[in-house]
Amino acid sequence: MNLRTKYNIPEDAIITIAGTVGVGKSTMTKSIAKALGFHTSFENVDHNPYLNKFYADFERWSFHLQIYFLAERFKEQKRMYEQGGGFVQDRSIYEDTGIFAKMHADKGTMTPVDYETYTSLFDAMVMTPFFPHPHVLIYLEGSVDDIIDRIQERGREMEQQTPLTYWEEMHKRYETWIESFTSCPVLRLNISDYDLLANEDDIEPIIAKIAAVIESNKSVHQL
Ligand SMILES: Nc1ncnc2c1ncn2[C@@H]1O[C@H](COP(=O)(O)OP(=O)(O)O)[C@@H](O)[C@H]1O
Ligand SMILES: Nc1ncnc2c1ncn2[C@H]1C[C@H](O)[C@@H](COP(=O)(O)O)O1
């Protein structure tokens, strides 16, 4: 019996993984998808035409990058629902506006006019009754030091050259953001409580927790 059947997870479920850069979303996405026999939806970092430029010059490229990410995530959202669900998604659309765009606007690396244009587009696309929300958002949390170590070890040059204060600021914002996040049910996991690279079996208790959150929010999701 596979874990999806064992824990009675709906075959059309959509599970999205949230958390700061380097916390382990992609690793978790792969493990959950493998355990449940689900499809994956990843951010395309290697073929993103703005990401390298953005890290080299936030002010010049932040608006372009946000528009690009919004379009990409919206297309992925559409693909997941058109295919009838059964997906694990690496990063939610909510983080683009709630973390990244807001942080750059607050820090002055996105102009107020660009931020206003971006948020009005985001709200028109996402904050409507017709926008389907995931069954559960898994929020990965961990210490800022552990996460920065992972960013350094992963070795994307553009991220390694970014000042540590950028990751510290992002980490702080994520902690505040998740406290008031209400767009869909949330499961919080601390990265010190599992190690999916060393122990594949660590996924089963996580699947059990996902199932419990989906079950307890069943009536809400059907509304
Ligand atoms: N349990 C773990 N212990 C140590 N390193 C990990 C663990 N899980 C993931 N990593 C590593 O941390 C880095 C970031 O993980 P990744 O899944 O790419 O994060 P994200 O998608 O959130 O940016 C990768 O190099 C990955 O191999
Ligand atoms: N909306 C975004 N704005 C700026 N940068 C973003 C956004 N979404 C993702 N990113 C960056 C952060 C990382 O450098 C890569 C991939 O993220 P990861 O958390 O490693 O999956 O894209």
Side-chain angles (χ1 to χ4, degrees):
M1 187 190 278
N2 77 21
L3 292 183
R4 190 189 70 71
T5 319
K6 180 172 176 185
Y7 289 98
N8 204 19
I9 295 193
E11 61 187 346
D12 65 350
I14 296 204
I15 298 165
T16 192
I17 318 289
T20 194
V21 176
V23 71
K25 297 179 300 299
S26 306
T27 309
M28 175 70 78
T29 298
K30 286 177 209 149
S31 294
I32 296 176
K34 187 173 168 204
L36 299 180
F38 274 17
H39 306 288
T40 52
S41 167
F42 286 106
E43 298 181 290
N44 195 343
V45 172
D46 294 337
H47 297 103
N48 183 319
Y50 296 109
L51 202 54
N52 267 297
K53 292 176 178 171
F54 163 77
Y55 276 106
D57 186 346
F58 286 151
E59 289 188 24
R60 170 79 178 83
W61 295 105
S62 60
F63 181 68
H64 301 70
L65 181 69
Q66 290 315 320
I67 296 296
Y68 179 84
F69 268 122
L70 183 55
E72 288 302 299
R73 285 202 228 283
F74 201 80
K75 280 188 272 180
E76 279 300 283
Q77 194 82 12
K78 200 162 153 271
R79 180 172 79 91
M80 292 189 299
Y81 283 93
E82 280 175 357
Q83 287 192 21
F87 268 88
V88 188
Q89 181 186 30
D90 180 353
R91 179 159 282 126
S92 69
I93 200 164
Y94 313 110
E95 293 156 80
D96 292 322
T97 179
I99 301 287
F100 291 95
K102 185 164 186 344
M103 177 164 123
H104 284 278
D106 290 348
K107 294 284 169 190
T109 44
M110 185 189 279
T111 68
V113 175
D114 283 350
Y115 184 58
E116 172 60 30
T117 304
Y118 171 77
T119 48
S120 73
L121 181 60
F122 181 92
D123 290 350
M125 287 166 86
V126 176
M127 294 302 154
T128 77
F130 312 108
F131 184 82
H133 296 283
H135 290 71
V136 55
L137 176 142
I138 301 178
Y139 177 69
L140 303 185
E141 58 197 342
S143 79
V144 70
D145 291 340
D146 287 348
I147 292 164
I148 289 172
D149 284 350
R150 287 187 182 188
I151 293 173
Q152 300 302 348
E153 277 168 30
R154 179 169 59 189
R156 286 182 192 147
E157 207 181 327
M158 59 192 169
E159 293 173 355
Q160 287 177 317
Q161 287 170 357
T162 298
L164 294 186
T165 49
Y166 185 77
W167 309 121
E168 287 161 358
E169 172 75 25
M170 190 180 292
H171 186 266
K172 209 166 55 187
R173 283 172 179 262
Y174 260 102
E175 292 194 330
T176 311
W177 169 79
I178 196 63
E179 291 301 329
S180 54
F181 179 81
T182 55
S183 297
C184 70
V186 174
L187 169 64
R188 293 174 79 132
L189 297 177
N190 193 299
I191 61 171
S192 57
D193 293 338
Y194 62 86
D195 186 343
L196 298 172
L197 295 179
N199 303 308
E200 267 195 39
D201 293 346
D202 278 1
I203 200 66
E204 184 158 353
I206 293 173
I207 300 292
K209 286 181 186 165
I210 295 170
V213 171
I214 292 179
E215 179 60 29
S216 63
N217 288 280
K218 222 174 182 174
S219 54
V220 180
H221 205 270
Q222 280 164 351
L223 288 178

